Amino acid sequence: MRRLGFGAMHLPVDSARDQAIAVARRAVELGVTLIDTAHLYGGGANEELLASALYPYPDELVITTKVGVARTGPGGEWRLDARPSILREQVEQALRRLRVERIELLQLHRIDPETPLADQLGTLRELQVAGKVGRIGLSEVTVDELTRARELAEIVSVQNRYSVLDREHEPVLRVCAEAGIAFLPWRPVAPATASRELAGVAAELGATAAQVALAWLLARSPVILPIPGTGRIAHLEENVAAAEVRLSREQGERLDALVEGGTS
């Protein structure tokens, strides 16, 4: 699998739908082999958009979706809800919207603190045994949560917020690297413009700050698979080109030092 994925969250599903479809198709043309979506993104509208753009899917393409957030709050607002009935319903909806018989990678969007973890992972495991889910992943988890989850199911991916300037989840990345679990950082380039050092390295390489931020992630650990998102083709092409950016050891060390406690 190519180590630069695509986050579909920012694809518009209304007035700019044609543009969104063009972006999704261009991502595949550029060799992207993993696209990330979720039930939360438009209540499934994002999943439907990807199917409209890309079905029938290329053999090498994996579309991963996330479940466990639902409009079940007191006023119909979104909230964490990973009760077994909700998870099963959202998986069935995703299968229908994506037009597939199995979701190759299904991620729990967040761990629901009001539902026993064994019930959440147990439900996903049952769906896996039934052939409706290929592999199970998690999103926004701590080391302790990941450890407990791995006692209940085989976890193949973790999707946490992480970037060159945001390393709160460095301990989680370390566990993933040791266990061979794919680490999919979301919001991997958002803070790129906040660093003069980042801009300086970009100038040295003739690249953009966003490309340098992505190149740093790719060099950080072999288990990292960034999923930058955008609704514009030009930005998409810029992100994908980051795979060709190579940092020198000295440049990498300068970027490592941007966050206290960063290691080279």
Side-chain angles (χ1 to χ4, degrees), residues 182-248:
F183 187 87
L184 282 58
W186 62 272
R187 198 181 293 167
V189 298
T193 56
S195 168
R196 291 183 181 178
E197 192 69 66
L198 196 60
V201 171
E204 293 167 10
L205 293 171
T208 66
Q211 288 175 327
V212 170
L214 290 169
W216 179 87
L217 283 170
L218 294 173
R220 186 68 168 174
S221 171
V223 301
I224 288 182
L225 196 164
I227 48 171
T230 180
R232 297 185 293 113
I233 287 180
H235 191 197
L236 166 70
E237 293 174 342
E238 174 188 334
N239 288 341
V240 172
E244 306 304 320
V245 175
R246 297 291 182 268
L247 304 175
S248 69

Side-chain angles (χ1 to χ4, degrees), residues 112-128:
D112 176 4
E114 297 181 6
T115 301
L117 184 59
D119 290 351
Q120 299 175 61
L121 271 297
T123 300
L124 299 187
R125 183 74 183 94
E126 290 171 4
L127 291 165
Q128 186 179 44

Side-chain angles (χ1 to χ4, degrees), residues 57-238:
Y57 307 111
D59 291 341
E60 67 276 10
L61 179 64
V62 172
I63 295 183
T64 173
T65 192
K66 298 184 289 294
V67 293
V69 184
R71 283 188 179 276
T72 54
E77 69 272 15
W78 291 101
R79 72 178 184 94
L80 300 184
D81 192 342
R83 289 174 294 170
S85 61
I86 295 294
L87 296 179
R88 292 191 187 99
E89 178 184 2
Q90 291 187 353
V91 167
E92 292 295 342
Q93 291 173 351
L95 291 169
R96 184 178 68 255
R97 290 177 178 130
L98 291 170
R99 307 179 199 174
V100 295
E101 296 182 357
R102 182 172 81 165
I103 299 168
E104 294 301 330
L105 174 59
L106 179 74
Q107 300 181 100
L108 187 62
H109 208 142
R110 297 288 189 276
I111 289 178
D112 176 4
E114 297 181 6
T115 301
L117 184 59
D119 290 351
Q120 299 175 61
L121 271 297
T123 300
L124 299 187
R125 183 74 183 94
E126 290 171 4
L127 291 165
Q128 186 179 44
V129 171
K132 296 182 178 183
V133 170
R135 296 169 180 81
I136 298 171
L138 303 172
S139 180
E140 281 302 283
V141 291
T142 64
V143 168
D144 180 63
E145 289 169 336
L146 175 57
T147 300
R148 289 189 289 122
R150 293 179 66 201
E151 295 172 353
L152 300 167
E154 181 181 3
I155 304 300
V156 304
S157 69
V158 169
Q159 185 172 322
N160 277 21
R161 189 189 70 255
Y162 184 81
S163 72
V164 64
L165 297 180
D166 180 0
R167 302 183 211 171
E168 175 186 350
H169 294 295
E170 188 78 37
V172 180
L173 170 59
R174 191 175 302 116
V175 171
C176 288
E178 292 171 353
I181 296 171
F183 187 87
L184 282 58
W186 62 272
R187 198 181 293 167
V189 298
T193 56
S195 168
R196 291 183 181 178
E197 192 69 66
L198 196 60
V201 171
E204 293 167 10
L205 293 171
T208 66
Q211 288 175 327
V212 170
L214 290 169
W216 179 87
L217 283 170
L218 294 173
R220 186 68 168 174
S221 171
V223 301
I224 288 182
L225 196 164
I227 48 171
T230 180
R232 297 185 293 113
I233 287 180
H235 191 197
L236 166 70
E237 293 174 342
E238 174 188 334

